Amino acid sequence: MRRRDYGSGGLRKRGNSWQATLWLPRDSDTQKRARKTFTAATKKEALERRSAYQRRLEHGLDVVGAESRLGEYFERWLREHAARSVSARTLVGYEQTGRVFVASIGSVRLSDLRTPHIEKALAAYLRSGASNRTAAKHLTILGAALGRAVVLKLITHNPATAVTKPRAVRREMRVLDMETLAAILDACDDPDFGRLINLAVHTGLRAGELLGLRWSDISWEHALLQVKRARNQFAESGFAEPKTAAGRRAIALSPREIAILREHRAAQSERRLSLGPAWPDQWLVFPRPDGHPESVSTLARKWSALCGRVGVADVRFHDLRHTSATIALVSGVHPKIVQERLGHSTIGVTLDTYSHVLPSMQEDAAHRIGDAMSVLDDPDRRPRASSEE
């Protein structure tokens, strides 16, 4: 029997297709040699596929893994890599990428995946009505998965890096004026919800952070509120710690907010006593009426219904956070303090997000500086250097 050397192979036509074969290196344990077959519609394509496979072998790539379909690989990446490095909530977003974005090109082999495949899938996803921001997020996640494939030597390069991300269009924030806030609070027939709205505007806390508050997080003596966790239905405990050090923060409370919280605690204590053992021992500041944790989605629905009764449209609960920051900046609170209260990682994030407030702050600063320097215009008030005798 003629000895087959690695790299040799054959080519033949079978029906309407062509088959190119390649003898693979001997197995180090069994010393047996396997043969790989490449089938394509044309002779040229079959030979190209064989050459590409051989090049991957010569570069030390995992050729078996490279033959996996993108969809199969992405699911494996979710289980074996992403699940260990991201939060449960983030993982849900990654899984969504697999269902709605990767699925359209999931049958493509990793070894055959090219930038045009991804560009075509991206264009189809945008045509389906997806926002630029969502499409860009899915592209980033796919890029991370393929970057891992490069590290594992399944592919030589990441085809997602050459795809131009859709330009994200930032959703315009809504800032509520005091008249609208007063109308919303007047229409609120749930005292607990009204007190939650008051605290949201005062502190700028996110919905999840408000629902994660426990009474032990409030220092009555120092009038401070500690942000230590947020409601997260995807986490095993239902709560998650802040993602960054800046997110774990202390926020000073005004006497007005302390009074509102004391009133809220007294009302909650009565309800807790009436329910007895049925009240769970979680000591949440803003739970459901039965004491169990409230969900962020339910809170959003309650807010939307309340705004609808007042006739205020297109206002998210998150806009209360923007309202809080805007009130603070317009009132002269230093941006650094606003950054710390909001839990932004840098002051640049705060200034970029609330740049709409800066013109009025600039105008106020100009008046203040002008007033301070007006002393130079009056000879009688102008300061003079003291002379030594």
Side-chain angles (χ1 to χ4, degrees):
M1 183 176 180
R2 188 162 61 91
R3 181 184 181 88
R4 300 288 188 178
D5 295 325
Y6 162 59
S8 64
L11 176 69
R12 65 176 175 171
K13 187 173 184 180
R14 298 196 65 178
N16 295 324
S17 62
W18 286 83
Q19 282 188 348
T21 57
L22 175 69
W23 286 97
L24 303 178
R26 292 184 182 277
D27 185 278
S28 58
D29 296 326
T30 65
Q31 292 300 307
K32 290 184 178 180
R33 191 183 299 282
R35 186 176 62 176
K36 178 73 176 175
T37 301
F38 307 89
T39 304
T42 65
K43 178 168 66 173
K44 180 181 179 182
E45 186 181 354
L47 290 172
E48 286 177 347
R49 287 194 61 194
R50 183 176 70 180
S51 298
Y53 189 91
Q54 190 168 0
R55 284 195 299 272
R56 292 196 298 272
L57 273 177
E58 291 168 353
H59 282 87
L61 298 181
D62 180 352
V63 290
V64 176
E67 291 296 294
S68 301
R69 309 288 178 174
L70 173 61
E72 298 168 354
Y73 165 74
F74 191 82
E75 289 298 322
R76 191 165 69 248
W77 174 77
L78 286 175
R79 295 192 309 270
E80 299 176 1
H81 183 73
R84 300 198 309 268
S85 56
V86 301
S87 68
R89 184 173 185 176
T90 300
L91 186 63
V92 170
Y94 284 15
E95 291 169 346
Q96 176 75 357
T97 298
R99 287 193 298 270
V100 304
F101 185 59
V102 173
S104 63
I105 50 176
S107 61
V108 180
R109 288 187 176 87
L110 276 179
S111 57
D112 296 334
L113 186 64
R114 301 291 183 268
T115 298
H117 291 117
I118 303 173
E119 290 176 332
K120 185 177 180 180
L122 184 64
Y125 187 49
L126 289 168
R127 285 197 302 272
S128 71
S131 69
N132 284 17
R133 182 174 183 178
T134 300
K137 180 174 69 176
H138 287 325
L139 178 60
T140 298
I141 294 168
L142 175 59
L146 293 175
R148 180 66 180 171
V150 174
V151 173
L152 296 175
K153 292 191 173 183
L154 300 178
I155 52 179
T156 57
H157 69 285
N158 186 341
T161 57
V163 179
T164 302
K165 282 187 181 180
R167 184 176 180 180
V169 179
R170 179 179 292 181
R171 179 173 176 177
E172 184 178 355
M173 69 177 69
R174 290 287 302 276
V175 176
L176 303 178
D177 55 37
M178 290 301 174
E179 291 77 10
T180 304
L181 276 173
I184 290 173
L185 288 170
D186 287 343
C188 183
D189 53 10
D190 180 352
D192 290 353
F193 193 34
R195 290 187 280 264
L196 182 147
I197 292 171
N198 264 291
L199 192 65
V201 177
H202 179 77
T203 61
L205 289 181
R206 302 174 179 88
E209 292 171 336
L210 287 161
L211 298 180
L213 280 177
R214 294 195 174 111
W215 287 112
S216 57
D217 299 329
I218 297 172
S219 169
W220 304 102
E221 180 183 358
H222 300 100
L224 283 176
L225 179 156
Q226 297 279 343
V227 180
K228 297 180 179 179
R229 73 195 66 78
R231 183 78 169 97
N232 186 333
Q233 66 191 74
F234 303 107
E236 186 175 348
S237 66
F239 299 91
E241 294 185 358
K243 294 181 180 179
T244 65
R248 191 181 182 91
R249 61 201 187 276
I251 298 176
L253 300 172
S254 70
R256 174 180 178 274
E257 297 308 313
I258 287 291
I260 288 175
L261 284 170
R262 287 189 184 280
E263 178 188 8
H264 182 60
R265 187 173 65 166
Q268 188 182 103
S269 295
E270 291 183 10
R271 189 161 62 249
R272 188 170 66 244
L273 287 173
S274 67
L275 287 177
W279 186 278
D281 226 7
Q282 298 200 43
W283 305 104
L284 296 170
V285 177
F286 295 110
R288 292 183 337 209
D290 61 2
H292 290 274
E294 183 65 281
S295 71
V296 173
S297 58
T298 299
L299 176 63
R301 285 195 296 271
K302 289 173 63 176
W303 169 256
S304 180
L306 176 58
C307 289
R309 293 203 298 271
V310 181
V312 179
D314 298 325
V315 178
R316 304 164 299 169
F317 186 86
H318 194 75
D319 287 325
L320 291 177
R321 177 172 164 87
H322 298 318
T323 298
S324 175
T326 301
I327 291 173
L329 290 168
V330 170
S331 300
V333 178
H334 194 284
K336 182 64 179 175
I337 302 300
V338 176
Q339 173 214 331
E340 293 172 353
R341 289 176 71 87
L342 294 178
H344 286 162
S345 56
T346 67
I347 194 171
V349 174
T350 308
L351 295 176
D352 287 344
T353 305
Y354 300 102
S355 57
H356 64 284
V357 184
L358 299 182
S360 61
M361 293 177 66
Q362 288 276 14
E363 184 178 350
D364 180 63
H367 286 301
R368 289 173 181 263
I369 295 170
D371 290 343
M373 294 186 65
S374 64
V375 68
L376 301 176
D377 301 329
D378 186 345
D380 296 330
R381 295 170 58 210
R382 182 178 296 173
R384 301 181 186 281
S386 58
S387 58
E388 296 183 1
E389 296 183 1

